[in-house]
Amino acid sequence: MGARGAPSRRRQAGRRLRYLPTGSFPFLLLLLLLCIQLGGGQKKKENLLAEKVEQLMEWSSRRSIFRMNGDKFRKFIKAPPRNYSMIVMFTALQPQRQCSVCRQANEEFQILANSWRYSSAFCNKLFFSMVDYDEGTDVFQQLNMNSAPTFMHFPPKGRPKRADTFDLQRIGFAAEQLAKWIADRTDVHIRVFRPPNYSGTIALALLVSLVGGLLYLRRNNLEFIYNKTGWAMVSLCIVFAMTSGQMWNHIRGPPYAHKNPHNGQVIGGW
């Protein structure tokens, strides 16, 4: 019985093979090739992303802010894949541009980038770069940008939104304000460390030395100390200095310029 059943089973299997649709084999082959291609494309993207991050980390190890021309901007900022945020300052630092605000903003940007680079939270999720107009004119034209300085955040995915452009005219360009804006856009909190400024201490020491030297030279004739007119002039100078607009700016720290909320006109300048 078993010997007779074996040929019968083989004939049935043969019939099933003959009835398989012949068009399914090309389809299965195409599906297999598609899976292989998708896997290879994903691997290629991962390798490209790793190369980009490695290059950015190498640049960051040498300087906090790296300069970019048009080609670097398109490769590392505009072109995917990206898994990092990029803060870019668009500026014009060449002397012939005569942009004093650009130099001041660059100093604050440098303080912020150094604070991030030397902090314990530094990682490969946030980088700082700069595009100078004379080195990346095509970038300014591509973004339809006609003013400098401008700070922009380029997120890891998607295009920058309106909030990804820093409102320089309303807030100013202090490093602390930039750090707050970056925290809102990236959830990366940067504690700003300013380098010590010894200019005030040096100026005070020179003043004390000058006054001490003058008193030493006039030690035999100190009647000028009791001169009421001289003290009145000194008092008036102090009063004028304390009530001046510059002292108000020093205390309140207002932005360089701001917009009129009614007509949007920029009211500028300290």
Side-chain angles (χ1 to χ4, degrees):
M1 186 70 181
R4 294 193 194 124
S8 177
R9 285 195 293 269
R10 284 197 293 270
R11 285 195 298 272
Q12 291 175 0
R15 294 194 197 100
R16 286 197 296 267
L17 287 175
R18 284 198 300 271
Y19 290 133
L20 276 176
T22 56
S24 63
F25 291 103
F27 174 75
L28 293 175
L29 181 60
L30 180 61
L31 183 61
L32 180 61
L33 292 176
L34 183 61
C35 293
I36 295 175
Q37 185 176 4
L38 289 176
Q42 183 65 26
K43 187 65 175 179
K44 185 178 180 180
K45 285 184 178 181
E46 293 176 358
N47 293 336
L48 179 59
L49 177 60
E51 291 176 3
K52 291 169 70 172
V53 172
E54 183 180 0
Q55 181 65 71
L56 291 173
M57 289 297 290
E58 181 182 349
W59 287 342
S60 297
S61 65
R62 294 199 296 261
R63 57 182 61 189
S64 303
I65 303 172
F66 33 86
R67 306 175 76 99
M68 288 198 169
N69 54 21
D71 294 336
K72 291 180 179 179
F73 179 83
R74 284 182 285 272
K75 178 180 179 181
F76 291 96
I77 298 179
K78 296 292 290 183
R82 296 194 317 271
N83 64 350
Y84 51 84
S85 293
M86 184 73 73
I87 307 298
V88 184
M89 179 178 69
F90 299 91
T91 186
L93 295 175
Q94 296 301 321
Q96 66 268 21
R97 301 299 174 187
Q98 298 181 355
C99 182
S100 59
V101 179
C102 293
R103 291 191 291 271
Q104 297 171 14
N106 180 57
E107 293 176 0
E108 293 295 315
F109 195 55
Q110 196 72 242
I111 291 173
L112 177 63
N114 286 334
S115 300
W116 169 242
R117 178 187 176 190
Y118 296 110
S119 70
S120 58
F122 175 76
C123 63
N124 59 4
K125 299 301 180 183
L126 179 66
F127 298 99
F128 292 83
S129 63
M130 173 198 310
V131 177
D132 193 282
Y133 179 79
D134 293 283
E135 299 173 0
T137 308
D138 54 337
V139 178
F140 277 75
Q141 294 174 351
Q142 180 182 353
L143 298 176
N144 294 323
M145 192 173 296
N146 53 14
S147 63
T150 300
F151 298 94
M152 286 188 65
H153 164 241
F154 290 87
K157 295 181 180 179
R159 301 178 63 181
K161 299 180 177 60
R162 184 174 182 179
D164 287 314
T165 299
F166 182 68
D167 195 349
L168 177 69
Q169 296 176 341
R170 185 177 63 88
I171 304 176
F173 48 73
E176 290 78 7
Q177 297 296 335
L178 287 168
K180 184 178 179 181
W181 168 67
I182 291 174
D184 292 338
R185 304 311 303 165
T186 65
D187 290 331
V188 175
H189 298 270
I190 304 175
R191 184 180 178 184
V192 177
F193 294 95
R194 291 188 174 273
N197 187 359
Y198 299 106
S199 58
T201 305
I202 295 175
L204 180 62
L206 290 176
L207 179 62
V208 171
S209 301
L210 181 63
V211 173
L214 180 62
L215 292 176
Y216 179 78
L217 293 175
R218 299 290 300 274
R219 61 184 181 276
N220 296 326
N221 185 12
L222 299 178
E223 294 180 359
F224 68 94
I225 296 179
Y226 304 99
N227 190 327
K228 296 182 180 180
T229 303
W231 284 111
M233 295 297 295
V234 171
S235 300
L236 284 175
C237 291
I238 294 175
V239 169
F240 289 146
M242 293 300 171
T243 56
S244 67
Q246 183 58 39
M247 183 55 65
W248 186 88
N249 287 334
H250 182 74
I251 296 173
R252 298 292 297 273
Y256 179 78
H258 64 279
K259 287 185 178 180
N260 188 320
H262 301 291
N263 55 21
Q265 183 182 2
V266 177
I267 303 173
W270 294 319

